[in-house]
Amino acid sequence: MSIVLGAIADDFTGATDLANNLVRAGMRTLQVIGVPQAALALDDVDAVVVALKSRSCPVREAVSDSLAALDWLRGQGARQIFFKYCSTFDSTDQGNIGPVAEALVERLGSEQTVMVPAFPANGRTVYQGHLFVGDRLLNDSGMQHHPLNPMTDADLVRVLSRQTSYTVGLLARPTLDEGSGTAREHLETLREQGVRHVICDTLDESDLEVLAAAVVQFPLVTGGSGLGQALPAEYRRLGWLAPVENAGRLVPASGVALVLSGSCSRATLAQVEHFLSRHEGFALDPLALAESDAQIGQALDFAREQLFGGDTSAPVLIYASAKPESVKAAQQRLGAARAGELVERALAELARALVNEGVGRLVVAGGETSGAVVSALGISELRIGEQIDPGVPWTQTSIEGREAPLSLALKSGNFGDVDFFSRAFDALPQERLP
Ligand code: ADP
């Protein structure tokens, strides 16, 4: 059986965000990290999201990685390709949204694609081509200060026009209001005029539904995870996708539970404090890690005793998360990059050792931290399960040397409610012990 949707995401957490929405809309979804090198079993998979690191890399690299992902996804029979980027249209005048979209359209032998970055549920809307974050225009939302891709213009037709030599068009709200037939006709008129890229207005979920119906037959669509939420209903309407009862069903989890936190974001700090008021934890300190590996050994001893010594059902936390004053102090002594590396390496090593010894349920907090743990564990694919909190699903992956799959939740810094660390484990169906 072939997959229905093949997605190419320009970063890791963006890929998970889309995959999470696809599962919620009824598609059984696999996230792969980079273009797979070996054949994958996709019998019970409806959508594959390839996570790339192409948001801020040089244009040529972004284009060639995206084309490699496209070729692989087409090889799996994907009926529609989705190029996923951030709902704040993160890019620069050089790219990479324009050049990647252009290359994908061309390789697919198509003539047009749409840009639907909006995610109304998260306050990202587009009106007359202007992107809003909540009640602020994009260039007044904080995104104008982004270190890698400052967004200083909210007019997406203008922004995209600087990234491509093709004409950029607009599908505006009044046309959407007339329904998907009129929207489709407008897109067709633009296509006849040679308009290759069309920025689409979106104010709410019903606009997303109209758009999904208008573009479901397009070989390529592009945008944020909001559109991903609306497309599966159209695939079912066309008979491409069979209804499934629980697209996020995972194998019952087994093994002891560990939380590793390298995030110092405000939400994570509150989650750490909340967890420590109920469970045991061990704090890592970058200054001690800079001296020697002794603290890694102490953390290991602590975790072994807690996880395997007595009550094996309680989760345990190992964290470097610290308040801004201590982070600043460590950074002043070691440099920000070295402090970060020391923590990431320690957490990655702990993950490798403890998963090897029987951790089967693992929550990791922090985007960079998650990247370090995923690569230390040699993970190349994640089956997406149920959402714990918006944007963070449980996932499962096979690990060499481990019989049952590892259940893994990767939480970026500011995601999740205050009780996320303990509630995550409550939300995970577990194998019944005899
Ligand atoms: P977030 O998703 O919250 O941004 P990340 O994991 O992406 O979290 O980034 C946090 C960075 O801070 C990581 O590089 C991590 O190693 C580093 N870090 C964690 N704890 C400390 C600390 N106590 N002092 C200095 N840096 C730290």
Side-chain angles (χ1 to χ4, degrees):
M1 238 186 62
S2 300
I3 58 170
V4 179
L5 179 67
I8 303 164
D10 68 355
D11 89 335
F12 187 90
T13 43
T16 310
D17 182 17
L18 173 62
N20 183 48
N21 272 356
L22 293 173
V23 168
R24 282 159 52 79
M27 296 187 91
R28 297 165 300 174
T29 305
L30 191 69
Q31 177 174 338
V32 296
I33 297 152
V35 180
Q37 301 301 313
L40 295 182
L42 297 175
D43 290 346
D44 62 347
V45 172
D46 305 309
V48 177
V49 182
V50 180
L52 298 177
K53 280 187 176 175
S54 54
R55 182 170 297 168
S56 312
C57 70
V59 174
R60 271 176 54 181
E61 203 178 310
V63 167
S64 69
D65 288 356
S66 304
L67 288 176
L70 170 65
D71 292 344
W72 185 85
L73 288 165
R74 285 217 289 176
Q76 313 309 312
R79 289 190 179 224
Q80 186 167 51
I81 300 294
F82 191 131
F83 169 35
K84 158 76 173 67
Y85 40 81
C86 192
S87 59
T88 41
F89 214 74
D90 295 22
S91 53
T92 67
D93 287 353
Q94 282 67 50
N96 292 338
I97 295 175
V100 168
E102 224 170 74
L104 295 174
V105 166
E106 210 154 281
R107 177 71 60 96
L108 283 160
S110 173
E111 290 178 51
Q112 191 183 58
T113 189
V114 287
M115 273 70 194
V116 188
F119 194 0
N122 278 359
R124 271 69 158 173
T125 54
V126 179
Y127 185 63
Q128 297 297 349
H130 289 68
L131 179 54
F132 289 82
V133 178
D135 61 358
R136 314 306 302 169
L137 279 164
L138 177 64
N139 57 305
D140 193 23
S141 68
M143 279 302 293
Q144 70 272 32
H145 303 305
H146 192 281
L148 299 177
N149 44 263
M151 300 304 291
T152 54
D153 188 356
D155 181 341
L156 297 186
V157 173
R158 210 160 47 195
V159 169
L160 190 62
S161 295
R162 290 194 286 262
Q163 299 179 28
T164 171
S165 50
Y166 289 91
T167 316
V168 178
L170 175 67
L171 173 52
R173 184 78 208 317
T175 312
L176 283 182
D177 220 17
E178 305 277 312
S180 59
T182 309
R184 206 174 301 128
E185 280 165 26
H186 180 70
L187 289 168
E188 181 56 22
T189 308
L190 291 175
R191 190 190 62 77
E192 283 164 6
Q193 294 166 358
V195 176
R196 179 166 284 215
H197 304 296
V198 184
I199 301 286
C200 300
D201 276 3
T202 314
L203 292 188
D204 51 29
E205 309 295 328
S206 69
D207 286 348
L208 284 174
E209 285 166 22
V210 171
L211 282 168
V215 303
V216 65
Q217 304 269 9
F218 275 43
L220 174 74
V221 293
T222 86
S225 60
L227 183 62
Q229 204 173 284
L231 282 167
E234 294 303 319
Y235 300 149
R236 278 191 290 272
R237 202 161 295 154
L238 289 176
W240 294 359
L241 178 68
V244 286
E245 223 164 65
N246 182 357
R249 182 176 296 135
L250 298 176
V251 175
S254 60
V256 292
L258 175 68
V259 182
L260 295 173
S261 178
S263 159
C264 300
S265 296
R266 201 182 297 165
T268 308
L269 294 180
Q271 288 155 355
V272 166
E273 195 179 320
H274 185 273
F275 184 92
L276 291 175
S277 68
R278 288 161 177 75
H279 300 285
E280 298 298 325
F282 184 97
L284 294 172
D285 172 11
L287 294 173
L289 293 169
E291 296 289 314
S292 77
D293 281 351
Q295 202 177 48
I296 300 181
Q298 290 157 13
L300 264 179
D301 290 343
F302 163 83
R304 285 178 182 135
E305 192 188 318
Q306 296 292 329
L307 291 170
F308 308 112
D311 173 10
T312 54
S313 66
V316 163
L317 168 70
I318 301 177
Y319 62 103
S321 313
K323 297 216 165 77
E325 312 82 77
S326 5
V327 173
K328 211 175 279 167
Q331 288 178 336
Q332 268 165 4
R333 289 274 296 279
L334 303 166
R338 177 149 161 74
E341 274 164 31
L342 283 164
V343 167
E344 284 168 36
R345 187 179 65 89
L347 290 172
E349 253 184 71
L350 290 164
R352 195 167 33 209
L354 291 167
V355 165
N356 199 25
E357 292 176 29
V359 165
R361 296 172 287 149
L362 178 61
V363 170
V364 185
E368 292 299 323
T369 310
S370 294
V373 168
V374 161
S375 82
L377 292 174
I379 292 170
S380 58
E381 60 185 81
L382 298 166
R383 177 79 185 215
I384 308 297
E386 294 288 334
Q387 170 175 296
I388 307 164
D389 271 338
V392 199
W394 269 112
T395 72
Q396 260 175 358
T397 184
S398 55
I399 296 277
E400 220 182 291
R402 208 190 124 79
E403 215 170 287
L406 170 71
S407 298
L408 185 63
L410 305 167
K411 184 194 86 75
S412 64
N414 270 321
F415 282 19
D417 279 344
V418 69
D419 58 348
F420 182 90
F421 291 153
S422 33
R423 199 162 33 77
F425 296 109
D426 298 339
L428 184 66
Q430 270 193 78
E431 213 168 52
R432 285 190 190 285
L433 297 173

